Amino acid sequence: GQGVDEPLSATGFRQADAAGLFLSNVTFTHVFSSDLLRAKQTAAAILRKNRFCKDLEIKYDARLRERKYGVAEGRPLTDLKAMAKDAGEQCPSFTPSGGETLDEVTARVTDFFEFLCQLVVELEQKEHGKLGAPGRSSGTSGEQFVFPWTNHCSEAEPSSEGSGSSTVLDANILVVSHGAYMRNWIGYFVSDLNCTLPANLTKSQLSSVSPNTGISHFIIKLENGSLLNPKITCVCLNQDSHL
C-alpha cells in the first residue's frame, strides 16, 4: 500500500540490479517513478546499470503510488483475503475501510497515461518547430534501442506498419510503479483502449500481479499526434527472466 513506506530489502536490491542489467542497453528518454521509497530505489538501481542514460533525471509522481489499502496496510495478504471473505467479496475487487476502490486507482492510471501522451505530442511538436532539426533517433546507434526480448518473449517488437521506414522513437519511457497499480493499468489498456496482446497470453497471466521487478513493454502509437484512440501493442507482460 501507500502508508507503509519501507525501503527495499536485500533481495529487492538484487532484483532491481538484475532488472537494470537486463535493460542496460536500452536508451530511455524519460524516467518516471512512484514517490514511494521502494520504487524510487528500484528506478535508481535500474539507471545505475544503464550504459547510456545513468544521469537521466528521475521524476517522481504520486499518481504512480501503489493502491491505498486503508486498514489493511502493513498487514499480511492473508488478512486482506480474510476481510474480503467476511465481506462476501473477491480479494482483488474488495476495498478495505479507508482504501481506494479499483475505479479510483484507474482514475489515477488514466490521468497519468494521458499526461504521458500529452508529453510525447508536445515533444514532437517542439521537434517539428525546429526547421531542419534532425529527429531524436538520427545518428544513434541502433543497438541502443534494442530491447532484450528476443529470447524471453513470445513476440518480437513489431515493426512500423506500412511506412516503409524504421520506427522513430519520439519517447522511450521507463515507468516504475507497483503490482496492484500496474494490474489496474494493464486492465485499463485492455478493457478501455483495446490493447493488442501477445497471442499466447493466458487470462490468468493477464490478471496476475507482476512479480517484483517484473517488466512489461508496451508500444504506443499516436496517429498524427492525436491523443484520441492511441494504438497500443503489448510486446511482453510481467517478464521475469532476469530474476
Side-chain angles (χ1 to χ4, degrees), residues 163-181:
S163 65
S165 62
S166 61
T167 301
V168 174
L169 296 177
D170 289 305
N172 198 20
I173 303 171
L174 173 66
V175 177
V176 180
S177 186
H178 307 269
Y181 178 92

Side-chain angles (χ1 to χ4, degrees), residues 4-170:
V4 181
D5 195 14
E6 291 289 324
L8 290 176
S9 65
T11 298
F13 277 112
R14 288 195 296 271
Q15 292 172 332
D17 284 343
L21 283 172
F22 189 70
L23 297 172
S24 60
N25 288 324
V26 180
T27 299
F28 295 106
T29 58
H30 303 78
V31 179
F32 292 93
S33 169
S34 157
D35 60 352
L36 296 178
L37 183 56
R38 57 194 184 274
K40 292 165 80 169
Q41 290 175 328
T42 300
I46 291 173
L47 282 191
R48 273 198 305 272
K49 299 291 184 182
N50 197 279
R51 291 176 58 194
F52 305 108
C53 47
K54 292 181 191 293
D55 298 324
L56 192 62
E57 179 188 3
I58 302 172
K59 296 184 178 179
Y60 305 112
D61 199 305
R63 289 173 292 185
L64 293 173
R65 287 181 182 179
E66 180 59 292
R67 183 184 179 191
K68 185 178 179 182
Y69 282 95
V71 296
E73 293 201 341
R75 297 168 64 175
L77 179 60
T78 51
D79 285 8
L80 179 64
K81 290 181 177 179
M83 291 179 193
K85 185 177 180 180
D86 289 344
E89 297 183 36
Q90 296 295 316
C91 193
S93 58
F94 171 66
T95 303
S97 177
E100 279 184 296
T101 67
L102 293 182
D103 285 345
E104 287 172 332
V105 178
T106 300
R108 285 199 283 129
V109 165
T110 304
D111 189 47
F112 185 77
F113 178 63
E114 290 176 351
F115 156 76
L116 287 186
C117 291
Q118 184 65 48
L119 172 72
V120 174
V121 168
E122 289 175 358
L123 280 173
E124 185 181 23
Q125 290 171 344
K126 188 180 295 183
E127 284 296 311
H128 286 313
K130 298 175 183 176
L131 294 177
R136 269 175 291 282
S137 295
S138 64
T140 305
S141 170
E143 71 178 39
Q144 293 186 27
F145 293 108
V146 174
F147 284 82
W149 306 133
T150 307
N151 298 322
H152 304 286
C153 292
S154 60
E155 295 186 358
E157 181 175 347
S159 60
S160 181
E161 297 176 3
S163 65
S165 62
S166 61
T167 301
V168 174
L169 296 177
D170 289 305

Side-chain angles (χ1 to χ4, degrees), residues 8-9 11-12 15-16 19 38 42 177-179 209-215 239-240 242-243:
L8 290 176
S9 65
T11 298
Q15 292 172 332
R38 57 194 184 274
T42 300
S177 186
H178 307 269
V209 173
S210 173
N212 288 336
T213 70
I215 299 169
Q239 190 284 125
D240 66 351
H242 55 285
L243 297 179

